[in-house]
């Protein structure tokens, strides 16, 4: 292995020119401090001890005893494996599944049954092993004991020699097949970053690695060494920063970094400079837990720490007037992120927190501190009802600004708080719920009616427009490569925003769960953050404590201005979960248009083709645009009639025509199909 050189030709630090003129000599006139001299006998004793230790350590008897101990250890390990087999690993896997059930009673019962069954099977295997080995060992042990009693010391010595011999045969080094080949490097070849002892050697290490990949640099400077690795700035001689970003996986090999351990960030102030972070260890190994937040001890405008950056800097943020999106694949820590945000919001005295989750159990640990909840795919009607009322409040509050002496934004108070709705699995919302949510994103910021949306992936049809237009805080954990463009924007990947290089949890290995890239609210650099961890037990305790202290509700002024008698949903708000897709999409078309009394079939088709182009695209209805649009509108009527007939409803699905306009449907007709009219009547 080549060692770092310090010659001027390869050093990354520019050579300083020799100053002109004589260099002044500085004479230190302070009296010399006499150094302490150790007596000669100490040196002689130390040397004697070293020689003795070296001689004893290399003596054959000592070496053989070490080999013998290692051999018997190998024998014991083999026998232990025979006794328990693969059951410990299977039990650990089952326990990990039990832990991952996270409140799902059916999955917990199933995983617990597997744990008990595997444990009993391991006990039975151990019992059989002990019985069979005991049957074989008792005669041998009896004969050996008899020989030891009759033979005395000589037989005992023979037994000891035999034991050492067996151990040596099993534990001696195997020099025939070492299984490792070392290739000597020549001067100038790359070397591992772990061999760098100072900043100059770290810079030289990076320079050689870049050169091995054909990247020409003008200067390399090692900025700082952290506990997790190095931070190095590279000044390119030619080319562009994307040359390094795209070759980051290849550079990890000569640098001997872990997988995805090289992070690249082009610098905005100079496009020829790239900041490299060489991550050798976990930057968050010593991250503190979530701080204690007493009930009603904070206000929404207060900045609170939610995560830590990899360089140790805390990320504190005020969520006042901020919409949030969280994208993370399964195992990426999305639940932990939402729980941390929920912990912050429920500690505020002027925030009402809602939990909407069509596919899971949402913020269950904090449930008692929440203002409204609607979870499960059979609660879509309640989710829509809550979103609809939130939208009405968002539209009504600006009319109160002048009356209440407010400026351009609502000022939350414990009597009339901000409203933050946490929506998990956003893509699984109904079309109408999505349209209501998008409208809240575009109108709710000033009224302090806000959304925290989460999904496993950022799909264009469900999140595209919302993210691009209105969301200020974007949080992305382990995810797909295409999510980078969808959330962070075109070209973000080349600028170092690479959440696709984070890895979700696998079994008991947490990997990069909870680690994210954050854009917005002061975070402008593509650095890795990790959210504070709040476990289920602690979150449950905090939720109960905050509920006991009292949580805010929407005030009478906001409700009256929005024409509401309460904020939330009731059992009567449930909608049927078996509605055909075309019905729900038609309902979404009305919601997108602010629920007008009438909507033409052509307008409904335009909504359908925007959200389901594989079925409703204009090109599927012919080449003539005018005839195709007419055919598409007719198909809308046909499909709606088929859906109503399949549902067994006696509803007249004939289209109506407004004065001088196209034919279409009234809102009341669609509401009859979805069951909303019956709900209101109840």
């Amino acid at each position: 292995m080549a060692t770092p050189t310090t010659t001027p030709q390869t050093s990354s630090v520019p050579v300083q020119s020799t100053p002109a003129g004589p260099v002044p000599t500085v004479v230190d006139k302070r009296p010399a401090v006499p150094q302490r001299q150790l007596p000669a006998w100490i040196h002689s004793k130390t040397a004697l001890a070293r020689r003795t230790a070296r001689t004893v350590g290399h003596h054959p008897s000592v070496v053989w005893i070490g080999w013998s101990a290692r051999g018997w250890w190998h024998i014991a390990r083999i026998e232990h494996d025979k006794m328990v087999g693969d059951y410990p690993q299977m039990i650990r896997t089952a326990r990990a599944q039990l832990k991952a059930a996270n409140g799902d009673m059916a999955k917990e019962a199933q995983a617990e049954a597997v744990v008990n069954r595997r444990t009993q099977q391991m006990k039975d295997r151990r019992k059989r092993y002990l019985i069979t080995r005991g049957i074989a060992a008792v005669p041998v042990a009896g004969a050996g004991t008899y020989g030891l009693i009759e033979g005395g010391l000589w037989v005992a010595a023979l037994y000891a020699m035999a034991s050492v011999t067996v151990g040596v045969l099993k534990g001696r080094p195997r020099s025939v097949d070492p299984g490792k080949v070392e290739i000597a490097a020549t001067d100038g070849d790359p070397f591992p970053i772990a061999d760098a002892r100072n900043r100059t050697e770290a810079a030289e290490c990076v320079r050689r690695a870049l050169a091995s990949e054909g990247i020409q640099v003008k200067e390399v400077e090692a900025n700082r060494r952290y506990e997790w690795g190095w931070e190095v700035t590279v000044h390119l001689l030619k080319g562009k920063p994307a040359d390094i970003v795209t070759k980051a996986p290849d550079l990890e090999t000569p640098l001997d970094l872990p997988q995805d351990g090289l992070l690249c960030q082009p610098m905005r102030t100079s496009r020829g400079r790239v900041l490299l972070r060489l991550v050798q260890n976990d930057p968050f190994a010593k991250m503190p837990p979530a701080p204690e937040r007493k009930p009603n001890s904070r206000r929404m405008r207060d900045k609170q720490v939610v995560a830590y950056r990899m360089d140790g800097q805390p990320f504190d943020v005020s969520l006042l007037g901020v919409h949030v999106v969280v994208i993370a694949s399964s195992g990426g820590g999305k639940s932990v992120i939402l729980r941390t945000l929920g912990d912050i919001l429920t500690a505020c005295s002027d925030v009402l927190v809602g939990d909407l989750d069509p596919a899971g159990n949402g913020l269950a640990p904090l449930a008692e501190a929440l203002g409204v909840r609607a979870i499960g795919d059979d609660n879509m009607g309640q989710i829509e009802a809550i979103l609809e009322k939130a939208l009405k409040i968002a539209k009504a509050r600006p009319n109160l600004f002048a009356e209440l002496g407010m400026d351009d934004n609502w000022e939350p108070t414990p009597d009339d708080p901000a409203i933050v709705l946490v929506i998990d699995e956003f893509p699984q919302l109904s079309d109408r719920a999505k349209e209501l949510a998008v409208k809240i994103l575009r109108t709710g910021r000033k009224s302090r009616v806000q959304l925290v949306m989460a999904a496993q992936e950022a799909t264009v049809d469900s999140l595209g427009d919302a993210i691009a237009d209105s969301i200020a805080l974007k949080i992305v954990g382990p995810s797909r490569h295409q999510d980078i463009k969808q959330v962070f924007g075109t070209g973000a990947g080349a600028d170092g925003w690479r959440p696709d290089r984070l890895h979700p949890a696998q079994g008991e290995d947490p990997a990069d769960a909870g680690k994210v890239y954050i854009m917005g609210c002061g975070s402008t650099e593509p650095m890795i953050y990790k959210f504070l961890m709040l476990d289920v037990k602690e979150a449950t305790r905090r939720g109960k404590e905050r509920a006991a202290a009292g949580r805010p509700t929407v005030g009478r002024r906001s409700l009256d201005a929005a024409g509401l008698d309460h904020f939330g949903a009731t059992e009567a708000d449930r909608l049927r979960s078996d509605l055909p897709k075309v019905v729900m999409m038609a309902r979404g078309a009305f919601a997108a248009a602010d629920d007008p009394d009438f909507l033409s079939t052509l307008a409904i088709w335009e909504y359908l083709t925007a959200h389901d182009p594989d079925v409703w695209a204009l090109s599927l209805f012919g080449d003539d645009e005018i005839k195709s649009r007419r055919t598409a509108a007719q198909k809308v009527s046909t499909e709606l009639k088929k859906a109503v007939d399949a549902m067994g409803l006696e509803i007249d699905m004939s289209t109506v025509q407004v004065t001088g306009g196209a034919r279409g449907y009234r809102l009341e007709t669609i509401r009859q199909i979805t069951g909303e009219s019956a709900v209101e009547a109840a």
Side-chain angles (χ1 to χ4, degrees):
M1 180 184 299
T3 57
T5 63
T6 56
T7 59
Q9 290 77 6
T10 58
S11 175
S12 59
V13 179
V15 179
Q16 302 293 330
S17 59
T18 305
V23 178
T25 303
V26 179
V27 180
D28 189 353
K29 298 182 179 181
R30 293 175 296 179
V33 179
Q35 296 183 356
R36 184 185 174 197
Q37 300 292 334
L38 297 177
W41 64 270
I42 291 182
H43 292 287
S44 61
K45 295 289 186 181
T46 302
L48 179 61
R50 290 198 189 99
R51 288 197 300 272
T52 303
R54 190 180 302 112
T55 302
V56 172
H58 288 79
H59 195 274
S61 61
V62 176
V63 174
W64 292 340
I65 291 174
W67 290 356
S68 179
R70 183 168 59 185
W72 281 106
W73 169 255
H74 289 168
I75 293 173
R77 187 174 58 184
I78 292 172
E79 291 300 316
H80 178 268
D81 292 342
K82 291 180 180 179
M83 181 172 62
V84 299
D86 295 330
Y87 286 104
Q89 176 62 37
M90 290 188 289
I91 292 173
R92 285 195 295 269
T93 302
R95 286 175 176 167
Q97 295 173 350
L98 176 62
K99 184 177 180 181
N102 197 21
D104 190 325
M105 301 299 293
K107 291 184 179 179
E108 284 186 355
Q110 184 180 3
E112 188 172 1
V114 173
V115 171
N116 295 335
R117 184 170 67 254
R118 298 301 187 194
T119 302
Q120 185 59 45
Q121 290 173 344
M122 186 176 70
K123 291 180 180 179
D124 295 342
R125 182 187 178 104
R126 184 187 292 117
K127 182 178 180 180
R128 290 195 302 270
Y129 172 87
L130 294 176
I131 292 175
T132 54
R133 284 294 187 269
I135 293 174
V138 166
V140 177
T145 303
Y146 176 79
L148 182 63
I149 295 174
E150 293 294 329
L153 181 62
W154 292 105
V155 175
L158 181 62
Y159 285 172
M161 292 175 61
S163 298
V164 172
T165 302
V166 172
V168 169
L169 292 175
K170 291 289 185 179
R172 72 183 188 276
R174 307 292 181 178
S175 58
V176 177
D177 183 15
K180 180 179 179 181
V181 177
E182 293 187 3
I183 301 175
T186 60
D187 185 40
D189 284 350
F191 58 90
I193 188 62
D195 291 350
R197 296 162 296 182
N198 51 51
R199 293 174 58 229
T200 300
E201 292 183 357
E204 175 65 12
C205 172
V206 173
R207 186 197 67 79
R208 293 189 184 189
L210 294 172
S212 69
E213 291 297 326
I215 300 175
Q216 300 182 32
V217 297
K218 183 183 299 183
E219 183 182 55
V220 180
E221 179 182 2
N223 305 330
R224 182 178 176 183
R225 184 171 191 171
Y226 295 90
E227 292 186 4
W228 47 263
W230 288 90
E231 189 176 85
V232 180
T233 300
V234 175
H235 190 182
L236 294 172
L237 181 63
K238 63 178 183 178
K240 53 186 181 297
D243 296 339
I244 297 182
V245 175
T246 55
K247 290 188 177 181
D250 298 328
L251 290 168
E252 290 167 0
T253 300
L255 293 170
D256 195 23
L257 289 171
Q259 183 181 0
D260 298 326
L262 180 61
L263 309 179
C264 309
Q265 176 188 343
M267 301 181 70
R268 295 187 178 186
T269 55
S270 175
R271 293 297 293 177
R273 296 181 185 271
V274 183
L275 185 64
L276 305 182
R277 295 182 179 92
L278 288 69
V279 183
Q280 300 169 262
N281 307 301
D282 185 6
F284 307 100
K286 298 181 179 180
M287 193 179 79
E292 180 67 30
R293 298 182 174 98
K294 295 297 182 182
N296 298 324
S297 61
R298 311 293 175 90
R299 297 191 62 190
M300 195 178 187
R301 67 177 63 256
D302 297 336
K303 286 191 173 184
Q304 301 189 56
V305 177
V306 299
Y308 277 86
R309 205 165 64 177
M310 63 184 299
D311 61 357
Q313 295 297 318
F315 179 65
D316 49 1
V317 60
S318 170
L319 295 176
L320 182 63
V322 175
H323 296 300
V324 184
V325 65
V326 179
I327 303 296
S329 60
S330 178
K334 179 163 54 69
S335 298
V336 173
I337 297 170
L338 295 180
R339 192 184 306 149
T340 300
L341 295 175
D343 174 54
I344 290 173
L345 293 168
T346 54
C348 298
S349 62
D350 55 355
V351 181
L352 183 148
V353 183
D355 182 18
L356 311 180
D357 186 352
N361 59 354
L363 300 175
L366 295 167
E368 295 189 29
L370 302 176
V372 292
R373 286 195 84 204
I375 61 173
D377 57 0
D378 59 338
N379 279 342
M380 192 60 68
Q382 293 184 328
I383 292 174
E384 291 180 1
I386 293 172
L387 289 171
E388 184 176 11
K389 292 177 180 178
L391 178 59
K392 289 181 178 179
I393 293 174
K395 292 181 176 180
R397 275 182 172 176
N399 299 325
L400 301 175
F401 289 168
E403 177 184 340
L404 300 177
M406 299 180 183
D407 293 330
D408 294 332
N409 298 294
W410 184 262
E411 297 176 7
T413 65
D415 295 329
D416 218 338
I419 300 173
V420 179
L421 302 179
V422 180
I423 307 176
D424 199 0
E425 298 301 342
F426 182 87
Q428 297 192 35
L429 293 179
S430 67
D431 290 318
R432 180 173 180 243
K434 290 177 183 177
E435 291 294 344
L436 292 169
V438 171
K439 288 181 178 296
I440 292 174
L441 288 175
R442 292 172 178 166
T443 62
R445 187 186 64 82
K446 290 186 176 183
S447 300
R448 303 317 188 206
V449 178
Q450 303 166 208
L451 299 183
V452 176
M453 306 189 309
Q456 294 189 19
E457 56 188 35
T459 55
V460 176
D461 58 338
S462 62
L463 285 175
D465 294 339
I467 292 176
D469 293 346
S470 309
I471 296 180
L473 182 58
K474 304 170 184 178
I475 303 168
V476 185
S479 55
R480 309 172 307 164
H481 182 73
Q482 52 265 45
D483 294 331
I484 300 174
K485 176 182 177 181
Q486 191 63 32
V487 181
F488 292 141
T490 304
D495 289 337
W497 301 86
R498 296 300 303 271
D500 59 319
R501 299 185 70 191
L502 299 175
H503 303 280
Q506 298 288 338
E508 294 184 353
D509 180 15
D512 295 322
K515 297 179 183 178
V516 298
Y517 284 79
I518 299 177
M519 180 180 289
C521 293
S523 175
T524 58
E525 297 182 2
M527 296 183 68
I528 297 177
Y529 293 75
K530 186 169 184 178
F531 265 72
L532 295 171
M533 177 64 184
L534 182 67
D535 60 38
V536 173
K537 184 177 180 180
E538 176 62 17
T540 303
R541 181 191 70 80
R542 296 187 183 191
K544 293 180 178 179
E545 189 178 75
R546 292 165 186 176
R551 296 293 301 143
T553 58
V554 179
R556 194 71 254 168
R557 289 178 303 189
S558 295
L559 293 175
D560 291 342
L564 303 174
D565 57 355
H566 74 285
F567 179 71
T570 64
E571 187 66 23
D573 288 318
R574 290 180 182 270
L575 288 182
R576 295 172 56 177
S577 59
D578 59 345
L579 292 175
K581 183 177 180 180
V582 67
V583 173
M584 292 307 297
M585 293 185 73
R587 185 64 184 90
F590 275 88
D594 285 334
D595 282 346
D597 292 334
F598 172 86
L599 204 62
S600 68
T601 52
L602 193 59
I604 297 175
W605 167 77
E606 290 174 348
Y607 179 89
L608 295 177
T609 190
H611 291 77
D612 194 6
D614 293 339
V615 178
W616 296 97
L618 183 64
S619 59
L620 300 175
F621 298 96
D623 298 330
D624 188 310
E625 181 177 352
I626 297 177
K627 291 183 179 179
S628 297
R629 293 171 69 88
R630 187 182 304 116
T631 303
Q634 291 173 353
K635 183 178 179 181
V636 171
S637 300
T638 302
E639 293 298 321
L640 283 173
K641 289 178 181 178
K642 288 181 180 178
V644 170
D645 292 341
M647 295 169 65
L649 300 177
E650 295 182 359
I651 299 175
D652 184 8
M653 292 304 298
S654 301
T655 57
V656 297
Q657 185 177 24
V658 297
T659 303
R663 302 189 67 85
Y665 292 97
R666 297 193 182 278
L667 174 62
E668 181 58 29
T669 303
I670 304 300
R671 288 165 66 91
Q672 288 179 14
I673 303 174
T674 61
E676 294 172 82
S677 297
V679 168
E680 291 182 355

